[in-house]
Amino acid sequence: MLSSLRLRHLCTAATTATSTNAVNSTSSMSISKVKSKLRSEFDPDKALQIYSSVSGKDSSLLSTRYLQDLTVRRLAKSQRFADIENLIEAQKKDPKIEQEPFVSTLIRSYGQAGMFDQALRTYEQMGQFGASRTVISFNALLSACTRSKLYGKVPVLFNDVLSKYGVLPDSVSYGILIKSYCEAGMPEKGVERLREMEEKGVEVSAVTYTTLVSAFYKKGKSEEAERLWSEMVQKGCELDVAAYNVKVMHAQSGEPEKVKAIMDEMGSLGLKPDTISYNYLIISYCKSGMMEEAEKVYKSLEEYGCKPNASTFRTLVHYLCKEGEYEKGYKIFKESVRVHKIPEFAILKGLVEGLVAKKKMKEAKGLIRTIKKKYPPNLLNAWKKVEENLGLTSANDSNPEVREDQEAAV
């Protein structure tokens, strides 16, 4: 693990020049290649080194924000909060700190890690930086609050910041506020704010409507959800795939035919269902015990112009294990490894236990060896316990030749 001192050195050096061979090799890559490399790197120290090698480059703010957020997520997953703070605080010495969009990326990154106190402190420091406060940084702060899951604090923050700094909220600000009410289980309060938007002439987007529709569905208030959907349509809001996915999500707990009907409706409007849409169809088939149909949808994703995501693999492995189809689940696991979309610990723990119960020891050992390389350090002890409890440790694990042969089989 990197020490705080070394981390500060890396962050500072990144704005000027890099010195190590590993960093030099990364710094010669294009930003798109760095993104790809960072997405597939789960070791927090290596992810930090990759980020540090390009963070001083003259790249777009959007690219910088993406790379920074990804690195912060890797560190947060390993509970490296002191390292995250050192990483972000070091950037306050950058000349771009006078620019509001740059400060906003720092605020958002703190929110990404659930470090709201640091996000708020950064917002309050903007005067010292010489950066103006507009709705851009205000929205970043609200977003940091919701990402930190402090939903009850968002309405207070909304009112306090507006009165203290005189920022004028826009549709995004209200959208975040309404989302916070919905996440707190109070969509009715969200509707009150929606009416406030209408009174003040602030545009209400389809995103805001569908946030409320989803929340009412989750509360079991389908009539209210459908009423808001109809209101959204009548007002001419542009419906997109994301909006329809809210309806698909509600339908996935029922019969698969209902999900397919909504997806057909999307097609009739010229909207193309995406991976999320098909994931809900897969879930619906799985819940109905129609595993063959679910697998058919999965295998057809590419011809639909979609790619499986982490949720796709998680769903299939989970339900295949429930059906006792551990070998099929293992095949899906291997495909998830290939595209860097590995399911979480609880799902794979069930899979490895099932493989052992079926006497598929080679596959079980191969799975654990693979995830030991891919999971963050804070989860390795948990996997070690699973390995020991299932009797999967052996002398062969310390034999490089045997281990290479076994890994080749995975």
Side-chain angles (χ1 to χ4, degrees):
M1 183 180 291
L2 288 177
S3 67
S4 294
L5 181 61
R6 187 181 169 205
L7 177 64
R8 284 195 294 271
H9 171 71
L10 274 172
C11 296
T12 303
T15 61
T16 54
T18 55
S19 56
T20 66
N21 290 334
V23 169
N24 281 333
S25 64
T26 308
S27 63
S28 63
M29 293 183 186
S30 66
I31 292 296
S32 62
K33 285 185 179 178
V34 171
K35 285 181 182 178
S36 177
K37 189 174 178 64
L38 198 51
R39 277 196 298 266
S40 61
E41 182 54 71
F42 293 89
D43 181 288
D45 288 322
K46 290 179 181 177
L48 180 61
Q49 190 175 55
I50 292 167
Y51 172 74
S52 297
S53 71
V54 297
S55 63
K57 279 190 171 184
D58 185 19
S59 55
S60 73
L61 188 62
L62 188 61
S63 293
T64 301
R65 174 181 160 188
Y66 177 87
L67 296 173
Q68 181 171 287
D69 282 354
L70 196 50
T71 305
V72 165
R73 284 204 297 272
R74 295 289 181 264
L75 291 169
K77 210 164 187 179
S78 297
Q79 307 290 302
R80 302 268 291 273
F81 299 110
D83 290 345
I84 291 169
E85 188 162 5
N86 287 332
L87 173 69
I88 296 175
E89 291 301 308
Q91 295 188 60
K92 291 181 180 179
K93 296 176 182 178
D94 192 301
K96 294 193 290 293
I97 196 65
E98 296 178 358
Q99 302 171 17
E100 185 185 21
F102 181 81
V103 182
S104 298
T105 65
L106 306 186
I107 293 170
R108 285 192 181 91
S109 287
Y110 269 133
Q112 191 82 39
M115 301 169 71
F116 178 70
D117 288 344
Q118 290 86 341
L120 180 59
R121 183 187 67 206
T122 301
Y123 183 79
E124 291 173 341
Q125 289 174 332
M126 290 181 70
Q128 300 171 31
F129 303 150
S132 58
R133 292 187 187 88
T134 70
V135 73
I136 295 172
S137 52
F138 177 55
N139 289 345
L141 183 63
L142 292 177
S143 179
C145 197
T146 57
R147 284 179 179 273
S148 300
K149 301 188 185 303
L150 300 173
Y151 306 119
K153 192 178 183 69
V154 175
V156 177
L157 186 68
F158 190 93
N159 294 327
D160 287 353
V161 172
L162 293 186
S163 61
K164 186 174 180 180
Y165 296 108
V167 177
L168 290 176
D170 62 7
S171 60
V172 174
S173 315
Y174 275 104
I176 298 170
L177 175 62
I178 289 171
K179 181 178 174 62
S180 73
Y181 280 124
C182 291
E183 293 288 354
M186 299 186 292
E188 297 83 2
K189 288 281 187 183
V191 173
E192 290 178 14
R193 291 292 194 162
L194 184 144
R195 301 305 170 211
E196 181 182 316
M197 291 175 72
E198 293 173 334
E199 289 172 10
K200 292 185 175 181
V202 179
E203 181 184 1
V204 183
S205 68
V207 173
T208 300
Y209 267 114
T210 51
T211 297
L212 287 164
V213 168
S214 178
F216 278 113
Y217 273 138
K218 286 177 182 175
K219 283 194 79 173
K221 296 188 174 183
S222 297
E223 288 186 12
E224 183 64 16
E226 294 294 341
R227 189 189 67 75
L228 282 168
W229 181 273
S230 297
E231 181 180 312
M232 173 175 63
V233 173
Q234 288 170 5
K235 289 193 173 180
C237 291
E238 187 175 347
L239 300 180
D240 57 12
V241 175
Y244 264 97
N245 278 345
V246 170
K247 295 195 79 173
V248 174
M249 178 181 65
H250 172 64
Q252 54 95 13
S253 58
E255 297 177 1
E257 291 304 316
K258 291 183 179 178
V259 177
K260 289 176 69 178
I262 296 172
M263 292 172 70
D264 288 342
E265 183 181 333
M266 292 167 65
S268 68
L269 294 174
L271 298 173
K272 189 177 179 182
D274 60 9
T275 299
I276 295 172
S277 316
Y278 286 110
N279 279 349
Y280 287 132
L281 181 57
I282 289 171
I283 291 171
S284 187
Y285 277 131
C286 289
K287 285 183 175 179
S288 300
M290 303 168 68
M291 293 306 300
E292 286 188 12
E293 294 300 321
E295 289 177 69
K296 282 180 185 176
V297 174
Y298 164 67
K299 290 174 182 176
S300 300
L301 282 176
E302 199 167 311
E303 68 181 71
Y304 299 148
C306 301
K307 292 181 179 179
N309 60 17
S311 179
T312 315
F313 294 113
R314 179 171 62 243
T315 299
L316 285 169
V317 172
H318 172 69
Y319 281 100
L320 284 168
C321 288
K322 280 189 73 173
E323 296 291 323
E325 298 279 0
Y326 298 108
E327 290 176 77
K328 283 187 177 181
Y330 182 64
K331 287 180 181 177
I332 297 293
F333 160 73
K334 289 200 293 184
E335 291 174 21
S336 77
V337 173
R338 184 174 56 82
V339 295
H340 311 295
K341 304 289 182 184
I342 304 175
E344 62 268 28
F345 174 82
I347 299 290
L348 294 184
K349 180 175 179 286
L351 174 58
V352 77
E353 288 171 344
L355 289 169
V356 170
K358 291 278 189 178
K359 309 297 184 188
K360 297 292 180 182
M361 307 303 285
K362 180 180 175 183
E363 289 83 354
K365 287 185 177 184
L367 185 151
I368 287 186
R369 272 194 306 276
T370 301
I371 57 183
K372 275 182 175 179
K373 296 176 183 177
K374 300 293 185 180
Y375 269 63
N378 63 307
L379 282 177
L380 293 185
N381 285 337
W383 277 114
K384 205 171 185 180
K385 288 179 182 177
V386 171
E387 194 175 21
E388 290 170 356
N389 291 341
L390 295 174
L392 295 174
T393 54
S394 70
N396 287 341
D397 290 339
S398 60
N399 186 322
E401 292 182 8
V402 174
R403 189 166 65 244
E404 284 177 12
D405 289 342
Q406 289 173 330
E407 287 173 353
V410 179

